[in-house]
């Protein structure tokens, strides 16, 4: 795999206020925001209840002034709606679909209500969904929902496993069986028309299945981007290679981001990603896929195959 080694990540996800964990204070938040701006990070996504942080407005202003394009994830609680009403619209807002999916069902009426509430405070909110095991088959229904509600953008990001993933959490990640179920459903004609929807799909295998809706175009893919164009920041300001790679590179309260991005730990991770996984050896599509998501395959597979969790077999 030949991928340019970047001096700084382009995209960062950042956990702001996860329930039960101590958030950074204002000074610490702004210090990290300064680091992101100084490193030239283009896209910053604030996750894990960012609207619950009392300094969210100051953080948004600091990131915007530093040239970062900011996205923010909301579960649309009454408290979050109150904060949203104060913040203006100078950021991309994603409604987290997760809480509207349970027991194998999408609660479309509740999601529609939440969407309408958000639309009163923010123009054109998008949806974001990270499906758990057994849920991928709900995707056609979610796509139909987007079409009926004229949602303009749906994002299916990478599977986040956090800093200390628990076994139960890892057992809950979708695998190739889920992908097979979705494939059957699509073959049965369950995909709606694209209807202007902008669909962003992180996972290559999912993207392949959804090509009729993604327009057949995928931005240039050079393989797993952990510790290269992607990075993640925990609530404690630890920098990670990606939200799917739970090995910290160091604290942004004590180190410069640019130094951590040149550290031996980061370079070793990139070297590991350059290696062809055992389970991909001889696959005809390796030059297209490069083994998929290496963080999940490294930390979540129970065999030593090392290939993407959604990949059933070599091609
Ligand atoms: S075996 Fe699967 S993950 Fe590996 S390169 Fe082939 S298609 Fe990709």
């Amino acid at each position: 795999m030949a991928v340019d080694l970047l001096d700084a990540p382009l995209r960062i996800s950042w956990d702001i206020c996860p329930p039960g964990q101590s958030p950074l204070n204002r000074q610490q938040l702004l210090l990290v925001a300064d680091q992101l701006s100084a490193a030239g990070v283009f896209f910053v996504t604030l996750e894990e209840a960012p609207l619950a942080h009392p300094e969210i407005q100051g953080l948004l202003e600091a990131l915007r002034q530093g040239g970062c394009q900011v996205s923010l994830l909301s579960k649309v609680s009454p408290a979050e709606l109150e904060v949203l009403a104060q913040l203006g619209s100078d950021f991309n807002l994603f409604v987290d679909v997760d809480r509207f999916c349970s027991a194998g069902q999408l609660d479309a009426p509740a999601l529609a209500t939440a969407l309408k509430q958000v639309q009163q405070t923010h123009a054109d909110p998008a949806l974001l969904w990270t499906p758990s095991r057994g849920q991928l088959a709900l995707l056609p229904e979610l796509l139909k929902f987007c079409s009926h509600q004229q949602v303009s953008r749906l994002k299916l990001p990478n599977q986040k496993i956090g800093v200390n993933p628990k076994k139960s959490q890892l057992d809950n990640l979708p695998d190739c069986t889920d992908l097979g179920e979705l494939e059957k459903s699509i073959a049965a004609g369950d995909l709606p028309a694209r209807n202007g929807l902008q669909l962003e799909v992180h996972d290559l295998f999912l993207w392949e299945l959804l090509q009729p809706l993604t327009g057949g175009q995928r931005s240039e893919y050079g393989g797993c981007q952990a510790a290269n164009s992607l990075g993640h920041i925990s609530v404690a300001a630890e920098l990670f290679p990606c939200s799917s790679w739970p090995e910290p590179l160091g604290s942004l309260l004590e180190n410069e981001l640019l130094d951590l991005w040149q550290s031996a730990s980061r370079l070793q991770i990139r070297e590991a990603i350059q290696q062809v996984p055992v389970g991909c050896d001889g696959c005809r599509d390796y030059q297209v896929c490069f083994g998929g998501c290496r963080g999940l395959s490294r930390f979540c597979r129970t065999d030593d195959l090392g290939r993407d969790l959604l990949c059933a077999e070599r091609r």
Side-chain angles (χ1 to χ4, degrees):
M1 188 194 324
V3 185
D4 289 341
L5 211 52
L6 303 180
D7 294 335
L10 301 175
R11 294 178 182 273
I12 285 270
S13 53
W14 183 2
D15 293 346
I16 301 296
C17 222
Q21 296 185 50
S22 301
L24 300 182
N25 62 32
R26 177 182 172 85
Q27 190 186 4
Q28 293 166 325
L29 274 185
L30 297 184
L31 179 69
V32 175
D34 277 353
Q35 291 239 35
L36 298 180
S37 306
V41 175
F42 285 148
F43 304 103
V44 178
T45 303
L46 305 179
E47 303 180 347
E48 299 292 343
L51 293 166
H53 199 294
E55 300 293 343
I56 184 64
Q57 186 146 16
L59 175 60
L60 286 172
E61 279 165 16
L63 288 169
R64 278 195 304 257
Q65 281 170 11
C68 303
Q69 198 179 109
V70 184
S71 298
L72 192 150
L73 191 56
S74 169
K75 288 189 186 297
V76 199
S77 66
E80 287 186 338
L81 285 168
E82 266 183 47
V83 178
L84 274 175
Q86 314 293 321
L87 285 184
S89 274
D90 203 4
F91 53 88
N92 298 311
L93 180 66
F94 286 93
V95 170
D96 190 349
V97 174
D98 186 51
R99 86 171 169 89
F100 303 96
C101 292
S102 64
Q105 293 203 318
L106 173 69
D107 188 345
L111 180 56
T113 301
L115 200 57
K116 281 201 181 75
Q117 288 171 322
V118 170
Q119 281 162 343
Q120 287 165 12
T121 67
H122 196 283
D124 202 21
L127 299 185
L128 179 143
W129 188 41
T130 317
S132 304
R133 184 166 297 178
Q135 288 187 330
L136 256 189
L138 292 178
L139 187 53
E141 200 181 334
L142 180 60
L143 290 165
K144 283 174 198 154
F145 175 90
C146 291
S147 180
H148 290 151
Q149 298 291 331
Q150 296 183 320
V151 173
S152 61
R153 188 173 170 202
L154 169 65
K155 183 169 179 175
L156 305 172
N158 57 315
Q159 289 283 340
K160 177 175 179 171
I161 55 176
V163 179
N164 293 306
K166 297 188 183 110
K167 185 172 180 316
S168 57
Q169 188 189 352
L170 302 185
D171 289 345
N172 223 8
L173 294 170
D175 62 11
C176 52
T177 312
D178 294 282
L179 198 73
E181 290 300 315
L182 178 62
E183 191 168 10
K184 276 188 224 155
S185 152
I186 290 174
D190 267 0
L191 275 191
R194 193 172 176 195
N195 201 17
L197 178 70
Q198 184 190 340
L199 184 58
E200 268 177 63
V201 187
H202 179 91
D203 184 89
L204 185 71
F205 298 89
L206 202 46
W207 176 84
E208 280 178 343
L209 280 186
L210 296 171
Q211 272 206 56
L213 293 179
T214 54
Q217 300 292 322
R218 186 177 167 91
S219 54
E220 196 177 325
Y221 179 74
C224 175
Q225 288 299 306
N228 201 34
S229 66
L230 292 181
H232 177 71
I233 303 172
S234 72
V235 63
E238 291 280 328
L239 181 64
F240 287 79
C242 160
S243 62
S244 305
W245 194 299
E247 282 182 334
L249 299 171
S251 169
L252 290 174
L253 301 178
E254 294 159 12
N255 303 276
E256 296 288 328
L257 188 156
L258 291 173
D259 289 342
L260 293 177
W261 224 241
Q262 295 305 327
S263 66
S265 309
R266 180 258 176 157
L267 297 174
Q268 278 165 11
I269 288 168
R270 286 310 305 171
E271 276 170 24
I273 291 172
Q274 304 295 320
Q275 307 304 314
V276 180
V278 174
C280 299
D281 195 18
C283 176
R284 72 172 153 80
D285 275 355
Y286 186 73
Q287 291 307 321
V288 179
C289 162
F290 300 108
C293 174
R294 298 297 192 84
L296 295 182
S297 59
R298 184 182 181 106
F299 295 97
C300 308
R301 284 196 83 103
T302 50
D303 53 32
D304 61 358
L305 293 175
R307 66 180 174 229
D308 193 289
L309 290 187
L310 292 185
C311 175
E313 58 189 359
R314 288 184 188 92
R315 297 174 176 176

